[in-house]
Short mmCIF file of all heavy atoms in Angstrom, two decimals:
data_model
loop_
_atom_site.label_atom_id
_atom_site.label_comp_id
_atom_site.label_asym_id
_atom_site.label_seq_id
_atom_site.Cartn_x
_atom_site.Cartn_y
_atom_site.Cartn_z
N ALA A 1 -5.17 6.81 7.69
CA ALA A 1 -4.62 6.32 8.96
C ALA A 1 -4.76 7.36 10.07
O ALA A 1 -5.01 7.00 11.23
CB ALA A 1 -3.15 5.95 8.77
N ILE A 2 -4.63 8.64 9.73
CA ILE A 2 -4.65 9.68 10.76
C ILE A 2 -6.03 10.29 10.94
O ILE A 2 -6.47 10.54 12.07
CB ILE A 2 -3.61 10.78 10.41
CG1 ILE A 2 -2.20 10.19 10.48
CG2 ILE A 2 -3.74 11.98 11.34
CD1 ILE A 2 -1.11 11.13 9.99
N CYS A 3 -6.74 10.48 9.85
CA CYS A 3 -8.05 11.14 9.94
C CYS A 3 -9.21 10.16 10.12
O CYS A 3 -10.29 10.57 10.59
CB CYS A 3 -8.28 11.98 8.68
SG CYS A 3 -7.04 13.26 8.40
N ARG A 4 -9.04 8.90 9.73
CA ARG A 4 -10.08 7.89 9.90
C ARG A 4 -9.49 6.62 10.54
O ARG A 4 -9.60 5.53 9.98
CB ARG A 4 -10.71 7.54 8.53
CG ARG A 4 -11.35 8.70 7.79
CD ARG A 4 -12.66 9.11 8.42
NE ARG A 4 -13.34 10.12 7.62
CZ ARG A 4 -13.15 11.42 7.73
NH1 ARG A 4 -12.27 11.88 8.61
NH2 ARG A 4 -13.80 12.28 6.97
N PRO A 5 -8.85 6.76 11.68
CA PRO A 5 -8.12 5.61 12.25
C PRO A 5 -9.01 4.41 12.57
O PRO A 5 -8.56 3.26 12.43
CB PRO A 5 -7.49 6.20 13.52
CG PRO A 5 -8.33 7.38 13.86
CD PRO A 5 -8.79 7.94 12.55
N LEU A 6 -10.24 4.64 13.00
CA LEU A 6 -11.11 3.53 13.37
C LEU A 6 -11.59 2.73 12.16
O LEU A 6 -11.97 1.55 12.30
CB LEU A 6 -12.32 4.04 14.16
CG LEU A 6 -11.99 4.75 15.49
CD1 LEU A 6 -13.27 5.22 16.17
CD2 LEU A 6 -11.20 3.82 16.41
N ARG A 7 -11.58 3.33 11.00
CA ARG A 7 -12.03 2.65 9.80
C ARG A 7 -10.87 2.27 8.87
O ARG A 7 -11.10 1.77 7.76
CB ARG A 7 -13.01 3.54 9.03
CG ARG A 7 -14.27 3.91 9.80
CD ARG A 7 -15.28 4.54 8.88
NE ARG A 7 -15.65 3.64 7.78
CZ ARG A 7 -16.19 4.05 6.64
NH1 ARG A 7 -16.42 5.34 6.43
NH2 ARG A 7 -16.48 3.19 5.69
N TYR A 8 -9.64 2.49 9.33
CA TYR A 8 -8.47 2.25 8.48
C TYR A 8 -8.41 0.81 7.97
O TYR A 8 -8.20 0.57 6.77
CB TYR A 8 -7.19 2.59 9.25
CG TYR A 8 -5.93 2.40 8.45
CD1 TYR A 8 -5.55 3.33 7.47
CD2 TYR A 8 -5.11 1.30 8.66
CE1 TYR A 8 -4.39 3.16 6.73
CE2 TYR A 8 -3.95 1.11 7.92
CZ TYR A 8 -3.59 2.05 6.97
OH TYR A 8 -2.44 1.87 6.24
N GLY A 9 -8.58 -0.15 8.88
CA GLY A 9 -8.49 -1.55 8.49
C GLY A 9 -9.55 -1.95 7.49
O GLY A 9 -9.32 -2.79 6.61
N ALA A 10 -10.74 -1.37 7.60
CA ALA A 10 -11.83 -1.71 6.68
C ALA A 10 -11.65 -1.05 5.31
O ALA A 10 -11.98 -1.64 4.28
CB ALA A 10 -13.17 -1.29 7.28
N ILE A 11 -11.12 0.19 5.32
CA ILE A 11 -10.97 0.91 4.05
C ILE A 11 -9.73 0.44 3.29
O ILE A 11 -9.80 0.10 2.10
CB ILE A 11 -10.87 2.43 4.32
CG1 ILE A 11 -12.17 2.94 4.93
CG2 ILE A 11 -10.55 3.18 3.03
CD1 ILE A 11 -12.11 4.40 5.35
N VAL A 12 -8.59 0.41 3.96
CA VAL A 12 -7.33 0.07 3.30
C VAL A 12 -7.10 -1.44 3.42
O VAL A 12 -6.24 -1.90 4.18
CB VAL A 12 -6.17 0.87 3.91
CG1 VAL A 12 -4.89 0.70 3.08
CG2 VAL A 12 -6.51 2.36 4.00
N SER A 13 -7.84 -2.20 2.65
CA SER A 13 -7.73 -3.65 2.69
C SER A 13 -6.54 -4.11 1.85
O SER A 13 -6.10 -3.40 0.94
CB SER A 13 -9.01 -4.29 2.14
OG SER A 13 -9.18 -3.95 0.78
N PRO A 14 -6.00 -5.30 2.13
CA PRO A 14 -4.87 -5.81 1.32
C PRO A 14 -5.22 -5.90 -0.16
O PRO A 14 -4.38 -5.59 -1.02
CB PRO A 14 -4.63 -7.20 1.92
CG PRO A 14 -5.10 -7.08 3.34
CD PRO A 14 -6.29 -6.17 3.28
N ARG A 15 -6.43 -6.32 -0.49
CA ARG A 15 -6.83 -6.43 -1.90
C ARG A 15 -6.82 -5.06 -2.58
O ARG A 15 -6.32 -4.92 -3.71
CB ARG A 15 -8.23 -7.05 -1.98
CG ARG A 15 -8.72 -7.29 -3.40
CD ARG A 15 -10.05 -8.03 -3.40
NE ARG A 15 -10.52 -8.28 -4.75
CZ ARG A 15 -11.23 -7.41 -5.48
NH1 ARG A 15 -11.53 -6.23 -4.95
NH2 ARG A 15 -11.62 -7.73 -6.70
N LEU A 16 -7.34 -4.05 -1.89
CA LEU A 16 -7.35 -2.70 -2.46
C LEU A 16 -5.92 -2.18 -2.62
O LEU A 16 -5.61 -1.53 -3.63
CB LEU A 16 -8.15 -1.76 -1.56
CG LEU A 16 -8.20 -0.29 -2.00
CD1 LEU A 16 -8.84 -0.16 -3.38
CD2 LEU A 16 -8.96 0.56 -0.98
N CYS A 17 -5.07 -2.46 -1.67
CA CYS A 17 -3.68 -1.99 -1.74
C CYS A 17 -2.96 -2.57 -2.96
O CYS A 17 -2.27 -1.84 -3.69
CB CYS A 17 -2.92 -2.36 -0.47
SG CYS A 17 -3.45 -1.44 0.99
N HIS A 18 -3.11 -3.86 -3.19
CA HIS A 18 -2.47 -4.49 -4.35
C HIS A 18 -3.06 -3.97 -5.66
O HIS A 18 -2.35 -3.79 -6.65
CB HIS A 18 -2.60 -6.01 -4.27
CG HIS A 18 -1.69 -6.63 -3.26
ND1 HIS A 18 -2.10 -6.94 -1.98
CD2 HIS A 18 -0.38 -6.99 -3.31
CE1 HIS A 18 -1.11 -7.47 -1.31
NE2 HIS A 18 -0.04 -7.51 -2.08
N LEU A 19 -4.37 -3.71 -5.65
CA LEU A 19 -5.01 -3.15 -6.84
C LEU A 19 -4.49 -1.74 -7.13
O LEU A 19 -4.20 -1.40 -8.29
CB LEU A 19 -6.52 -3.13 -6.64
CG LEU A 19 -7.36 -2.57 -7.81
CD1 LEU A 19 -7.16 -3.43 -9.05
CD2 LEU A 19 -8.84 -2.52 -7.43
N LEU A 20 -4.35 -0.92 -6.10
CA LEU A 20 -3.83 0.43 -6.27
C LEU A 20 -2.38 0.40 -6.76
O LEU A 20 -1.99 1.19 -7.64
CB LEU A 20 -3.92 1.20 -4.96
CG LEU A 20 -5.32 1.63 -4.52
CD1 LEU A 20 -5.28 2.21 -3.10
CD2 LEU A 20 -5.90 2.65 -5.49
N ALA A 21 -1.57 -0.48 -6.19
CA ALA A 21 -0.17 -0.58 -6.61
C ALA A 21 -0.07 -0.99 -8.08
O ALA A 21 0.72 -0.41 -8.85
CB ALA A 21 0.57 -1.58 -5.73
N ALA A 22 -0.87 -1.97 -8.50
CA ALA A 22 -0.86 -2.40 -9.90
C ALA A 22 -1.33 -1.28 -10.83
O ALA A 22 -0.77 -1.08 -11.91
CB ALA A 22 -1.75 -3.63 -10.07
N THR A 23 -2.33 -0.53 -10.39
CA THR A 23 -2.83 0.60 -11.19
C THR A 23 -1.76 1.66 -11.37
O THR A 23 -1.60 2.22 -12.47
CB THR A 23 -4.08 1.21 -10.52
OG1 THR A 23 -5.08 0.20 -10.37
CG2 THR A 23 -4.63 2.36 -11.36
N CYS A 24 -1.02 1.94 -10.31
CA CYS A 24 0.07 2.93 -10.39
C CYS A 24 1.13 2.50 -11.41
O CYS A 24 1.65 3.33 -12.16
CB CYS A 24 0.70 3.12 -9.02
SG CYS A 24 -0.35 3.96 -7.82
N TRP A 25 1.44 1.22 -11.44
CA TRP A 25 2.44 0.72 -12.39
C TRP A 25 1.94 0.82 -13.84
O TRP A 25 2.69 1.18 -14.75
CB TRP A 25 2.78 -0.73 -12.09
CG TRP A 25 3.82 -0.91 -11.03
CD1 TRP A 25 3.62 -1.21 -9.72
CD2 TRP A 25 5.25 -0.79 -11.19
NE1 TRP A 25 4.83 -1.29 -9.05
CE2 TRP A 25 5.84 -1.04 -9.92
CE3 TRP A 25 6.07 -0.50 -12.27
CZ2 TRP A 25 7.22 -1.01 -9.71
CZ3 TRP A 25 7.45 -0.46 -12.07
CH2 TRP A 25 8.01 -0.72 -10.82
N LEU A 26 0.67 0.51 -14.05
CA LEU A 26 0.14 0.40 -15.41
C LEU A 26 -0.38 1.73 -15.96
O LEU A 26 -0.51 1.87 -17.18
CB LEU A 26 -0.98 -0.63 -15.45
CG LEU A 26 -0.58 -2.08 -15.11
CD1 LEU A 26 -1.81 -2.97 -15.05
CD2 LEU A 26 0.43 -2.61 -16.12
N ALA A 27 -0.68 2.67 -15.08
CA ALA A 27 -1.34 3.91 -15.53
C ALA A 27 -0.51 4.71 -16.52
O ALA A 27 -1.05 5.36 -17.42
CB ALA A 27 -1.67 4.78 -14.31
N GLY A 28 0.81 4.67 -16.37
CA GLY A 28 1.65 5.48 -17.25
C GLY A 28 1.90 4.90 -18.62
O GLY A 28 2.36 5.61 -19.52
N VAL A 29 1.60 3.62 -18.81
CA VAL A 29 1.94 2.96 -20.08
C VAL A 29 1.18 3.55 -21.27
O VAL A 29 1.80 3.90 -22.29
CB VAL A 29 1.72 1.44 -19.97
CG1 VAL A 29 1.97 0.77 -21.32
CG2 VAL A 29 2.64 0.85 -18.91
N PRO A 30 -0.16 3.69 -21.22
CA PRO A 30 -0.86 4.24 -22.39
C PRO A 30 -0.39 5.66 -22.75
O PRO A 30 -0.16 5.96 -23.92
CB PRO A 30 -2.32 4.24 -21.96
CG PRO A 30 -2.41 3.26 -20.85
CD PRO A 30 -1.10 3.33 -20.14
N VAL A 31 -0.27 6.52 -21.75
CA VAL A 31 0.16 7.90 -22.01
C VAL A 31 1.57 7.92 -22.60
O VAL A 31 1.84 8.63 -23.57
CB VAL A 31 0.11 8.73 -20.70
CG1 VAL A 31 0.64 10.14 -20.94
CG2 VAL A 31 -1.31 8.78 -20.17
N SER A 32 2.46 7.12 -22.03
CA SER A 32 3.84 7.08 -22.51
C SER A 32 3.91 6.58 -23.95
O SER A 32 4.66 7.12 -24.77
CB SER A 32 4.68 6.18 -21.60
OG SER A 32 4.59 6.59 -20.26
N LEU A 33 3.13 5.56 -24.25
CA LEU A 33 3.12 5.03 -25.62
C LEU A 33 2.64 6.07 -26.62
O LEU A 33 3.25 6.26 -27.68
CB LEU A 33 2.22 3.79 -25.68
CG LEU A 33 2.85 2.44 -25.34
CD1 LEU A 33 1.79 1.36 -25.29
CD2 LEU A 33 3.94 2.08 -26.34
#
């Protein structure tokens, strides 16, 4: 947002955001198990 403001909308798409959020939730499960 601060260093690439003109490309923010193209890079940080809603689909990518939801994918990143889901990855953050699931990433700890294998290690924890």
Side-chain angles (χ1 to χ4, degrees):
I2 294 173
C3 301
R4 301 287 187 272
L6 299 180
R7 299 191 60 201
Y8 181 76
I11 296 174
V12 189
S13 63
R15 184 175 180 274
L16 178 60
C17 291
H18 286 96
L19 180 62
L20 287 172
T23 302
C24 290
W25 276 100
L26 297 174
V29 175
V31 176
S32 305
L33 273 173

